[in-house]
């Protein structure tokens, strides 16, 4: 049987578990937070006073902070791309109504993720610190350009990608929230912290999908994991561009901001890989093919190899001035 057919067979075999994953890792719509829980009540008499407070608190946060906030928001707002990509994965049948467990998961996951860009976008608009039109142009470009994350329609590779990417966004949102709190911005700190909590739940779910697949097809899953790490996990922000720019040109300068702030670093990438290696217990896998044994050896040695490379990396300290944010003299 071809690898493609094996993957589809495995996806079908474990589909009955998806409802349990939804119950374990997602929150019912009527119970979960909504963006308006954190934003000024536009129907309330104190709306303008609340907006004024947001704008005043925003003045204490520096340029690199706002660039990171904008890039995080744009990444969240490109959700249509992620949903359409996942719906096209082999084994996820969106044409079977709600009968297909995987398509139910993707829709429910998308519905939770949609709230992130919504609340962040509104907050940035009210803060007065961001050129919203330039941000909106970048968002539209990111959706229109689409992306190729190196997974094709392979469910194994896609679940490796989402396991990794969800933990990366957890780290980024959590640290942004911590920085906001240190500057006295309690509202933004709380907002980013609760978003990071969603991202962690989603990471745990995708991590569990992969673990379940390892139980069915360990060699195939190992090969997919190794292939993704050889290509490197390319974050959606990798394709950022500003108005007038070409695809991907804004990513490096944004990542330098995130690195300077310590929001998401090369060491975080290495740490995520190590955590996935440990949770999926690669060392204990048995009955592997020869190729899978070599893939395991590669993955087990990769964190140390990446650490040596990371130790030699240099990041520019000078600020690049994005069209999204006006410099305010505060890094």
């Amino acid at each position: 049987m071809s690898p493609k057919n094996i993957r589809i067979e495995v996806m079908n075999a474990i589909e009955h578990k998806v409802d349990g994953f939804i119950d374990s890792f997602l929150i019912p719509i009527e119970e979960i937070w909504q963006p308006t829980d954190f934003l000024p009540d536009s129907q309330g008499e104190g709306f303008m006073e609340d907006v004024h407070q947001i704008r005043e608190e925003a003045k204490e946060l520096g340029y690199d902070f706002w660039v990171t906030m904008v890039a995080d928001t744009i990444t969240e707002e490109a959700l249509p791309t992620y949903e359409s990509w996942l719906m096209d994965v082999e084994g996820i049948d969106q044409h079977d109504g709600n009968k297909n467990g995987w398509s139910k998961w993707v829709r429910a996951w998308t519905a939770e993720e949609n709230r992130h860009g919504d609340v962040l976008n509104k907050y940035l608009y009210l803060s007065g610190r961001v050129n919203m039109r330039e941000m909106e142009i970048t968002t539209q470009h990111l959706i229109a350009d689409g992306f190729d994350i190196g997974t094709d329609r392979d469910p194994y590779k896609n679940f490796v990608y989402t396991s990794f990417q969800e933990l990366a966004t957890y780290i980024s949102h959590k640290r942004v929230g911590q920085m906001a709190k240190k500057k006295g911005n309690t509202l933004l700190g709380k907002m980013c912290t609760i978003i990071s909590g969603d991202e962690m739940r989603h990471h745990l779910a995708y991590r569990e999908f992969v673990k379940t697949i390892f139980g069915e097809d360990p060699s195939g899953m190992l090969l997919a994991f190794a292939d993704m790490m050889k290509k490197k996990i390319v974050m959606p922000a990798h394709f950022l561009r500003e108005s007038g720019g070409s695809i991907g040109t804004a990513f490096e300068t944004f990542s330098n901001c995130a690195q300077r702030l310590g929001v998401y670093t090369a060491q975080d990438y290495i740490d995520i890989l190590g955590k996935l290696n440990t949770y999926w217990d690669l060392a204990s896998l048995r009955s592997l093919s020869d190729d899978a044994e070599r893939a395991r050896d590669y993955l087990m040695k990769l964190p140390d190899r990446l650490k040596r490379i990371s130790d030699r990396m240099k990041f520019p300290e000078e600020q690049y001035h994005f069209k999204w944010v006006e410099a305010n003299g505060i890094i």
Side-chain angles (χ1 to χ4, degrees), residues 48-74:
M48 295 307 298
E49 289 80 1
D50 291 341
V51 171
H52 178 72
Q53 181 176 347
I54 285 176
R55 293 171 71 87
E56 288 300 308
E57 290 177 347
K59 293 177 182 178
E60 301 301 316
L61 297 165
Y63 182 81
D64 281 353
F65 179 92
W66 287 108
V67 168
T68 303
M69 275 287 295
V70 168
D72 282 353
T73 302
I74 292 168

Side-chain angles (χ1 to χ4, degrees), residues 4 7-13 15 18 86-94 100-103 106 153-155 159:
K4 174 181 174 179
R7 282 158 167 69
I8 294 174
E9 186 175 274
V10 169
M11 287 288 282
N12 290 338
E15 184 199 341
V18 177
L86 284 173
M87 278 297 195
D88 193 46
V89 169
E90 290 161 349
I92 297 178
D93 183 5
Q94 63 178 314
N100 181 271
W102 294 113
S103 65
V106 173
R153 300 181 65 210
D154 186 333
F159 291 160

Side-chain angles (χ1 to χ4, degrees), residues 32-49:
I32 202 168
W33 65 271
Q34 296 298 332
T36 47
D37 296 336
F38 296 95
L39 298 168
D41 181 2
S42 61
Q43 294 181 310
E45 293 183 1
F47 176 71
M48 295 307 298
E49 289 80 1

